[in-house]
Amino acid sequence: MWWFTSPRIAFGEDALEQLNTVEGKRVLIVTDQILRKLGLVDLIVTELKKEPRSIEIFDRVEPEPSFQNVEKAAAFARSFQPDLIVALGGGSCIDAAKAAWVLYERPDLAVDAVSPLTKLDLRKKARLVAIPTTAGTGSDATWVAMLTDKAQNMKLDYFASREMVPDFSILDPRFVMKLPKEATAYTGMDAIVQGIEAYVNQWGNDFSDGIALRSIQIMFEYLPKAFDNPDDALARQKTQNGATMSGLAFGNSQVGLIHAMGHALGAIFHMPHGLAVSISCAYAIQFSSREAAPRYSDIAHAIGIREESPQKATETLIESIRSLMVHLRIPLCLRDAGISQTVFDQNLDTLVDQTGRSTCTFVDPRVPDVEQIRNLFICMYEGKTVEF
Ligand SMILES: [Fe+2]
């Protein structure tokens, strides 16, 4: 038996107007200071004020939010007692809002006590609306909050529960039109990687498969357009849809080795998530396709690649991903991302350890051993082909 979970999703021009179909008299907006300065919070406040409501704003979400950061947001919520929480931002803000919501509803739980096995009984106090401002993480459609344990310098992926899927996701293109080029590239590549991993991992299923393939098609077609011409409203809207679809796909299956390695890189080198998974992508596919070439071949087929064998199709898929990364000005290996040999060598053991312990690693189509993970990172550092 398996589940498919999804928020209600409003998408397209003026989707924000649907915010007023959600009940709630005391609204807490969870966001960061940059988005507030950009005026995106004002758009939401203006919409909310069409109804009589009391509104408070927590604008102190940090990039890659820590336990301490979400506890602060939860304390803010406890003092205000909202009946509606609106998460505005990229993955960091939405994940922080999810975690703060859980800790607000369940003040008896410590932040490190929440896992998919915990019965949370949410929605006794508030409901959650997510309004993404990036076209990438898909966090508005998933049931996990990626938090950073600063003490261990490690990202944790177990703050998760099916109950944490937001009630409502609003994809209004106005919120992504001003997304800077670099963030467009990184977050868009994250969506592509999520689609790929959702499709190939061991938990893939009929429902996630269809959405994953379509999200990959959309992102391959429209991400370069959104990058080349940031004012292209159709490309912005399409990448926004593709990103949330990638979240729905992996939220209803899983990710895999690319994300496991990407999370370790993000925690240790403080690399943006989209950059970290982009760099990991080709190497992990070279490794995992030995067990799952027909699945990668399906993905290649979906983006128009025609080859005589699944192996050849996978190679061409990897070349297409690398060409797209060059187009988006994303480095192809860790050395080109500016990490020195000394720093890499000093951190290699920790990268291997964190990847080996990640739950994402165990659902990959080919589960690597410790030595294979080490060699994968070495290939990824030097830009060498993975031949084992
Ligand atoms: Fe991701």
Coordinates of all heavy atoms in Angstrom, one line a residue, residues 136-137 190-191 194 250 255 259 263 273 277, ligand 1:
G136 N 12.2 25.9 -8.1 CA 13.2 24.9 -8.0 C 13.0 23.8 -6.9 O 12.9 22.7 -7.2
T137 N 12.9 24.2 -5.6 CA 13.0 23.2 -4.6 C 11.8 22.3 -4.5 O 11.9 21.2 -4.0 CB 13.2 23.9 -3.2 OG1 12.0 24.5 -2.9 CG2 14.3 24.9 -3.2
D190 N 18.0 22.1 -9.6 CA 17.5 21.3 -8.5 C 16.2 20.5 -8.9 O 16.1 19.3 -8.6 CB 17.3 22.2 -7.2 CG 16.9 21.3 -6.0 OD1 17.3 20.2 -5.9 OD2 16.3 21.9 -5.1
A191 N 15.4 21.3 -9.6 CA 14.1 20.7 -10.0 C 14.4 19.5 -11.0 O 13.7 18.5 -10.9 CB 13.2 21.7 -10.6
Q194 N 15.7 16.6 -9.0 CA 14.6 16.0 -8.2 C 13.7 15.1 -9.1 O 13.3 14.0 -8.7 CB 13.7 17.1 -7.6 CG 14.5 17.6 -6.4 CD 14.0 19.0 -5.8 OE1 14.6 19.5 -5.0 NE2 12.9 19.5 -6.4
F250 N 9.1 13.8 -6.2 CA 10.0 13.2 -5.2 C 9.3 13.1 -3.8 O 9.7 12.2 -3.0 CB 11.4 13.8 -5.2 CG 11.5 15.0 -4.2 CD1 11.8 14.8 -2.9 CD2 11.5 16.3 -4.7 CE1 12.0 15.8 -2.0 CE2 11.7 17.4 -3.9 CZ 11.9 17.1 -2.5
V255 N 14.3 10.8 -3.3 CA 15.4 11.3 -4.1 C 16.4 10.2 -4.2 O 16.0 9.0 -4.3 CB 15.9 12.7 -3.7 CG1 15.1 13.8 -4.3 CG2 16.1 12.8 -2.2
H259 N 21.2 13.6 -4.2 CA 20.8 14.5 -3.1 C 21.6 14.2 -1.9 O 22.0 15.0 -1.1 CB 19.3 14.4 -2.8 CG 18.5 15.5 -3.6 ND1 18.3 15.4 -4.9 CD2 18.0 16.7 -3.2 CE1 17.6 16.5 -5.3 NE2 17.5 17.3 -4.3
H263 N 23.6 17.1 -0.3 CA 23.4 17.6 1.1 C 24.7 17.7 1.9 O 24.9 18.6 2.6 CB 22.4 16.7 1.9 CG 21.0 16.7 1.3 ND1 20.1 15.7 1.4 CD2 20.3 17.7 0.7 CE1 18.9 16.0 0.9 NE2 19.1 17.3 0.5
H273 N 22.2 24.7 -2.4 CA 21.7 23.3 -2.6 C 21.7 23.0 -4.1 O 22.1 21.9 -4.6 CB 20.3 23.2 -2.0 CG 19.6 21.9 -2.3 ND1 20.0 20.7 -1.8 CD2 18.6 21.6 -3.2 CE1 19.3 19.7 -2.3 NE2 18.4 20.2 -3.1
V277 N 23.7 19.9 -5.9 CA 23.1 18.7 -6.6 C 23.4 18.7 -8.1 O 23.6 17.7 -8.7 CB 21.6 18.5 -6.4 CG1 21.4 18.2 -4.9 CG2 20.8 19.7 -6.8
Ligands
FE1 FE 16.6 19.3 -4.1

